Each structure stands twice: as C-alpha cells, then as structure tokens.
Amino acid sequence: MRNVWNFSTAGKIIFGNDAVQGLGKLMQSLSEKTALVVTDPGIKAAGILETALSSLKQEGVSYAVYDQCEPEPRVEKAVEAYDFAKNQNCGAIIGLGGGSSIDLAKAVAVLLTYGGSPKDYFGEFKVPGPVLPLVAIPTTSGTGTEVTPAAVLTDLQANLKIGISDNYIRPMIALVDPMLTVKMPPAVTASTGIDALTHAIEAYTAIGFEYLLAEGEALYQGTNDLTDALAEKAIKLVSDNLRLAVDQGQNVKARYNMALGSVLAGMAFSNAGVGAAHAIAYPVGAATHAPHGVLCGLLLPHVMEYNVPVALDRFVKVAELMGENVRGLNQFEAAMLSVKAVKRLIRDVKITATLRGLGVNEAQLPDMAEKTLEVGRLLRNNPRRLTAADIEGILRNAY
Amino acid sequence: MKSFVFRTPELNFGNGSVKGIGIKAKQLGASRVLIVTDKGVVSAGILPKIEQPLKDAGIEFEVYSEVQPEPNLDSLHEIVKIAKEGDFSFFIGVGGGSAMDVTKLASLMMTNEGEVSDFLGVEKVPNPAAPVILVATTSGTGSEVTKFALFGDDAIKRKTAVSSPNIMARAAFVDPELTISMPGHVTAATGIDAFIHAVEAYIAVNRNPATDPIALEAIRLIAANLIPAVKNGSKLEARYNMALGSVLAGIVLNNAGAGAVHALAYPVAMEYHVSHGISNVVNFVHTMEYIAPALLERYANMAEAMGEKVGGLSQYDSAMAFLKAIRRLCLGASLPVGLKSIGVDPKLVPALAETAFTDTRLLGNTPYVLTAKDIQAIYSNALND
Ligand SMILES: NC(=O)c1ccc[n+]([C@@H]2O[C@H](COP(=O)([O-])OP(=O)(O)OC[C@H]3O[C@@H](n4cnc5c(N)ncnc54)[C@H](O)[C@@H]3O)[C@@H](O)[C@H]2O)c1
Ligand SMILES: [Fe+2]
Ligand SMILES: [Fe+2]
C-alpha cells in the first residue's frame, strides 16, 4: 500500500479571455534573451501566431519563430527545431498551438537546456533538472499539456508514440486564452474536447493512490481528493459545453468553459493518471494515425463498461455529473448510465464511433491488444486489471 | 467569464511523507539548510523525523527553534543573522503558521535589500526568496502552500502581511502523522481557521472556477472531521482528513483570498493576544449571519457540503441550515462563537471596527460591502453571544 501522493502542476496558470495580450509583458519578466516560439502552419494561417507576436513586438521582446511543427510530431521534428534554435540565444520558449506544438516546445526546451538528442530523455524521470522557462499557450481545449509533465513524439521507424515524462517539463506558465479557440474547426473541437472528457473520466475513475502497484516515485499515481475535485468539475464542464462549442463555434461562453474543463482535467490526470482508453489508443493510433481524441472517444465507453464493476460509486457520480437521472436505480444500473451518456455525447459531436469506421482490419485486433500491454505505465492506473484477452474484448466491442 | 490566476506549489501529502524531504531538498539544490521551528514542535518530538531523512541525503543542517507563537519581528532578525553568518541559503520551516511564516519572511530577506516593512502589502517583493520547503505540523493556516506571511508589528499594534508569490515554498510537505501530538485546543483553533479559509474563499470576490470545487471539498472534509480530531485526537483518520482539508483550504486561500472574518479577527488578535484561530472563530458565525442575504446560493451549496439535508428546501432555508451547521461545528469543537468569551470590552468596539475597516485588502474581497458601522454591528452581535 502507498501512503504518499504528490501533486504538481504548471508553476502558474493564467486563465481568461484575451489573456494572450499579456504575453509580451510576461516574456519580458522571464528573460532578456530571445523568445523561441514553437508553432505550426495551421496556427499561423488562423492568425493566432500574429496575435501572439504583436504582443511580443509591443513590448520589444526579441523572438524567433519555428513554425514547422506537424500534428503528432515525429522525433525528427524535435531535432529540426532544436537545430533551428540552437544558435539564436534563446532564453525562454513559447509553445503555441495544440498538444503537438506544446509538446514539441517541451522537447526543445530540454534539448536547449541539456543538449544531446531526444532519445536521451525518453521515459520517465530522465530530465536532469529544471529547463529554460517554458510558456504553454493552448489553442485547442483538449490535451491539457499546458500543465502536464509529458511530451509525446512519434517514432516512425518503430511506428510508436514515445515520450519524455518528467515534472521538470511542466510549463512554468500555462497561458490559457479561450478566445484563441473560437475559430477551431468543429471536427477538431469535437475530438480534442472528447480527449479532455477522457482525461477527466479516466482520472476520476483511476485506481486509488493507496493501491497503485508501483514502487517509489511515480508521475501518475492514482486518485486523491484533490484530483477528484478537479476531475468532477471538468467532467461537468465538458459534458455541459462540448456540444455547444462544436455546433456554435462563436459561443464564447462554451469555449470558455471547454478551455476551463480542459485545464482542470489536465491538472487532475497529470497527477492521478489516465487508464486503459489511453493505453489502447497508443497501438491503435500507430496503426491508423487517427487523431488522439477520436481514438480516446471511440474507446472510452467500452473501457468504462469494462471498469464499471470495480468502481460502481465513481461511475454513478460520473452519470450524475453528466446530467443523468439516477434516482430509483440500483447502483449498477445507475453506473451504466455514465456509459450511455458518453456514447450519446460522442454521437452528438459526430465522432467516429467504431474501429471499423477508422479502417481497422479485424485481424489486427489481437496484435493491438498485445501491444497495449506494453503501455504498463498507463494500465497500472486502470481500476480493473486487464489481460490481452480482456483488451481484445474491449477492441471487439469497439469494432 | 472571469479571468484568473491559479498557482500552487508542489505538494507532498500522506502519512510518512516527510521521509521524502531529504531527497526533495537535494533535488532542489540544498546542501546547507537552516531548519526554522518552535519549542512546541521540538518538545512534540517531531524534529528527528525531519533530521533523519536530511542526514540520509547527506545534507548539512542547523536548527533554530526560538520562533514565538503569533510571531513578531524579533525572531525574524535573529534567523536572518544566523543564516547570513552561517552561510545558509536554503530553509526548511517546520511548524504551524507561526514557524512557517517566519521562515518565508527570513527567506525573502536573504535575497531582497531593505526592511520587512518595505515588503508589506500585495506583490511588493521584487526578487524570488531563497528556496524554502515548508512542513505543516498543524492543520490550519495552509501557510505551506500560500504566498502570505503574517506577523504582529508591536510598534504599531497591527497584524500585517506580506503577500507575494515570490515567497511561496518550493515544496510543501503535509504529513498527518505529525499532527497527532497537537493538543485539543490547538487542534480546534487551527482547524476552524482552515475551515474559515475554505468558506471565505468559496464566497470571495476573487473566487474562480478552479477554486470552487477545491473549497467545497475542504469544507466537506473539515466539517466531518474537526470534532473527532479535537475530541479524539489519537484517531489518525480524523487527523488525516483534517490535514487534507486544511491544505486544500490553503490552496484556495492562496488563489481566492480571505475576507471579512479575517479582517475583523486581526484587531481582536492584536488587542487580546488570542491565537489566530480563536480571533477568527469569535467573529465567524456573526459575520456569516450578517452577510447572509447576499449569499444564499453559496451558503446553500456549503450546507450541502457540510452534510446538511437540503433536498426539498428553499434556497433561503438551505442557507439558514448552513448558519446553524457552522454554529454547531464551532460549539462541538468547544470553540467560542462570540466575543464575550475572550473578555472584549464593549467600549473598545468602535476602535476595533475602525481598525478592521482599514483592511481594504480583505474587505474588498468580501462579497458584501461593509461600512465601519456594519462592522461595529457585527462586533456587537458577537458581543452578545
Ligand atoms: N500564511 C498564511 O497563509 C496564514 C494564514 C492564516 C494564519 N497565518 C498565521 O499563522 C500563525 C498561526 O499559526 P497556527 O495557527 O498554525 O499556530 P502556531 O504556529 O502558532 O502553533 C500553535 C502552537 O502549537 C504548537 N504545535 C504546532 N504543531 C504541533 C504539533 N504537531 N504537536 C504539538 N504542538 C504543535 C506550536 O509549537 C505552537 O506552540 C499566525 O501568525 C497567523 O497570523 C498565516
Ligand atoms: Fe489524451
Ligand atoms: Fe486564517
């Protein structure tokens, strides 16, 4: 039994509409050297980069822009961005974009601080110490990476997602401006929003910290009261606002609440951990290259159904938070309503609901199940034990 | 759609968590550490639990254990002198709010030129303080996770505060086992302080959507565990939940701030030399009653968190249930709910109210505009209880 939990998050979370207008002043206070902005062509095209840069210009902050990030960036991109930044006298790093740009910024921060190559830091607790000041500005409401200790990259040769996980790469500042998400296309809003929902539900229904099967320090440690409070609020916010954010992109209130739900979910899951839906999403993602949120959403209800028997009270609460009427039902029925609520939400925001729909071949399922077992660091947070056969069962249900 | 800032230092929570303090100090770059604490903590036998892990991690340290409860500036100057002469650049503060707050002040004096008085008020500390780890041994102030440091200024007879993120701890340790030795009356006074932090933060003008759920959780934990912790102090479960509730309350205090109850408490504490918790609780119930009309919905939510049955009740009745519940909580923990108990002289009320009224930081964070007259009225209500 474990007795101790640790809670960490970004050094400071600045949240609010138009918060990005304060970026220039903020960077001024962090470093006199050049600020490296890591972003991607989509953010540039949406005019968001310009908004951020104009605040930097206004305060006379010198900057260099690397705008060649790609979705689910390859390891090579980290090397490329590092090569670009190496001789620019960078004193601080800004990750501007979705999870991809921010994760790349985290990796570059490690490289600029300690040199070497990305693979030197793959795994947990491999970063030697603090990194250059890192400011994360999310433009999607989903990953929560602005407050988390992980940077996920893609290894194309091995066809794997691989990552750097360390508290040292939690951003010093998370600058969350819901207005930056207003122009996010509906499909991206839906898939990233479902990612946030998955974070919140998996964090809330993870194993209790006492019973995590791990020795010594761990980043993902199971639930505690603090992560519960954050996750509950996040479940409610996402469940109440995702449909509106998808169908009324200009609904600023819904955008605000989604950004909030996403960051609260990030604070929760980056301490409590995520579970089987995220674990299974790894091999399925490698095979299909579908967006992370789509995979999570597709798998989530089936994983929940599998987990319900060992966490009845938690799933009842999830059902309630999602607006289900559980009165008069027995616990099992009430808990199963959470599964129904998630399925309905996924349908309403038009996310592909089956693996078949993603072009997965049924014959691939056993192999995917085997590969999922390799993601033990996530699976151990899942409240219910899984064998390869159990995972294959979940995959078949999702097929 | 509110804009807000949220920050909280790294927290290590759990029974036996201080065993990790050596490794953490090392990670944070400590080699020579000054431990700052007080006599009560020493005689409770807590220090060896901090010293051993430091030794194991090969960290040199010395101990200063002369901090006074509700500290004034004397011990601060001593600590700064010892630290500068002994070349200490890292502090570990162990104790209740008194020891932890002095530690924060000392750490700020190490890296900022000037007198303490230069740094009073909100965000007046230019440089980050020397690194600090804080270990809470009471379940009350939440100081281990806050940017506040309070002290009594005897010269002006005022309780004053430094409020700056630059004095936040690098890491906080909350180990419920360290609180077992706390005497009943300290448990009660510090525990109700934590409860009041959660309540004031939940209704604060500067509350935000991130602090709300954490505040309600703190209210739930403390309401259910304060009386057991006071009346049956060896019960680890109650101690555990109080430690948890108080650190959550500290997190929301840090981000939403306190309000009128604290504003009314400080003049009373200075004049009558009662502890921080007592000075708060003697004003708590009457302040909450006075400002209730503006806050029915919030009170109803807190009633529910306190375990009151509010289903089927009107919002008004639910809010009244909250008021009844907090009175019951205080009385059950053998805490006074009025000023008579500490012998406040009715003639002094106008002067106390004048002083409280100048606390614009706290009154400005109260969701009910209180005039000096209002404050007098609250004190008077509290006097008659
Ligand atoms: N910084 C903040 O955010 C904040 C918030 C509220 C109050 N405060 C300040 O904190 C101070 C009050 O702190 P407090 O209420 O924690 O009390 P305290 O630190 O004054 O401690 C009270 C007494 O209990 C003893 N003690 C502490 N832990 C013990 C244990 N585990 N076993 C046995 N004895 C123990 C101490 O030795 C002391 O004698 C005041 O100065 C107040 O203004 C600060
Ligand atoms: Fe995710
Ligand atoms: Fe207090």
Side-chain angles (χ1 to χ4, degrees), chain B residues 113 130 143 159 250 254 265 277 279 296 325 379:
Chain B
E113 292 295 324
S143 181
K159 193 97 186 177
N254 195 39
S279 66
L296 294 180
Y379 278 139

Side-chain angles (χ1 to χ4, degrees), chain A residues 346-364:
Chain A
I346 286 167
R347 188 196 61 211
D348 289 349
V349 300
K350 305 194 174 99
I351 283 202
T352 314
T354 63
L355 288 171
R356 186 184 293 127
L358 291 180
V360 173
N361 191 321
E362 204 168 354
Q364 292 173 284

Side-chain angles (χ1 to χ4, degrees), chain B residues 196-371:
Chain B
I196 295 170
H197 294 159
V199 170
E200 293 217 278
Y202 186 69
I203 62 175
V205 171
N206 291 325
R207 67 180 192 246
N208 69 56
T211 56
D212 277 353
I214 305 173
L216 285 177
E217 183 62 15
I219 289 168
R220 190 185 70 73
L221 284 163
I222 299 171
N225 292 280
L226 177 62
I227 298 171
V230 172
K231 299 298 176 188
N232 186 9
S234 58
K235 197 171 176 237
L236 186 57
E237 193 192 330
R239 294 292 195 184
Y240 185 94
N241 288 325
M242 281 304 298
L244 187 50
S246 79
V247 72
L248 297 187
I251 292 173
V252 294
L253 173 68
N254 195 39
N255 289 290
V261 180
H262 274 75
L264 270 72
Y266 290 132
V268 173
M270 274 319 266
E271 192 60 42
Y272 293 94
H273 298 283
V274 289
S275 73
H276 176 76
I278 296 298
S279 66
N280 271 287
V281 73
V282 292
N283 295 300
F284 177 43
V285 173
H286 290 282
T287 306
M288 298 310 284
E289 281 173 1
Y290 199 86
I291 66 177
L295 293 158
L296 294 180
E297 188 187 347
R298 291 259 136 186
Y299 280 24
N301 294 343
M302 291 191 286
E304 201 176 349
M306 291 184 76
E308 296 297 303
K309 192 167 177 346
V310 297
L313 291 188
S314 70
Q315 201 172 62
Y316 183 86
D317 287 338
S318 309
M320 294 306 120
F322 170 68
L323 292 173
K324 278 196 209 113
I326 58 175
R327 183 180 281 270
R328 215 183 315 120
L329 179 66
C330 297
L331 296 177
S334 303
L335 288 162
V337 294
L339 291 169
K340 218 181 264 162
S341 61
I342 55 169
V344 169
D345 177 358
K347 288 203 280 297
L348 267 186
V349 161
L352 292 173
E354 270 319 312
T355 313
F357 185 62
T358 59
D359 200 329
T360 46
R361 175 176 73 97
L362 291 173
L363 292 177
N365 197 29
T366 305
Y368 186 116
V369 179
L370 292 168
T371 63

Side-chain angles (χ1 to χ4, degrees), chain A residues 3-17 19 130 167-168 209-210 217 225-226 229-230 232-233 237 252-254 256 260 263-264 267, chain B residues 1-18 23-24 27-28 168 209-210 212-214 217 220-221 240-241 244 247-248 251:
Chain A
N3 288 318
V4 178
W5 50 263
N6 166 288
F7 182 91
S8 301
T9 189
K12 178 180 182 184
I13 298 161
I14 304 173
F15 188 100
N17 291 341
N167 278 325
Y168 288 124
F209 77 90
E210 301 93 327
E217 220 180 344
D225 271 54
L226 180 50
L230 296 164
E232 284 180 23
K233 179 94 178 184
L237 283 165
V252 176
K253 180 96 195 168
Y256 176 97
L260 185 60
V263 72
L264 296 183
M267 292 165 79
Chain B
M1 280 181 274
K2 199 169 217 164
S3 295
F4 62 89
V5 168
F6 185 96
R7 59 179 121 206
T8 194
E10 176 192 325
L11 168 64
N12 298 279
F13 184 93
N15 292 323
S17 57
V18 284
I23 295 168
K24 182 55 68 185
Q27 267 177 18
L28 292 170
M168 268 167 48
D212 277 353
I214 305 173
E217 183 62 15
R220 190 185 70 73
L221 284 163
Y240 185 94
N241 288 325
L244 187 50
V247 72
L248 297 187
I251 292 173

Side-chain angles (χ1 to χ4, degrees), chain B residues 38 40 70 96-98 101 137-138 143 146 148 159 178 181 190 276:
Chain B
D38 65 32
E70 313 291 325
S98 301
D101 282 8
T137 63
T138 61
S143 181
T146 74
F148 308 116
K159 193 97 186 177
L178 303 186
S181 52
T190 54
H276 176 76

Side-chain angles (χ1 to χ4, degrees), chain B residues 29 43 63 82 109 123 130 166 173 182 224 249 256 277 292 297 318 327 364:
Chain B
S43 56
V63 178
I82 295 173
M109 298 302 285
E123 308 230 357
N166 278 337
F173 280 80
M182 226 191 325
E297 188 187 347
S318 309
R327 183 180 281 270

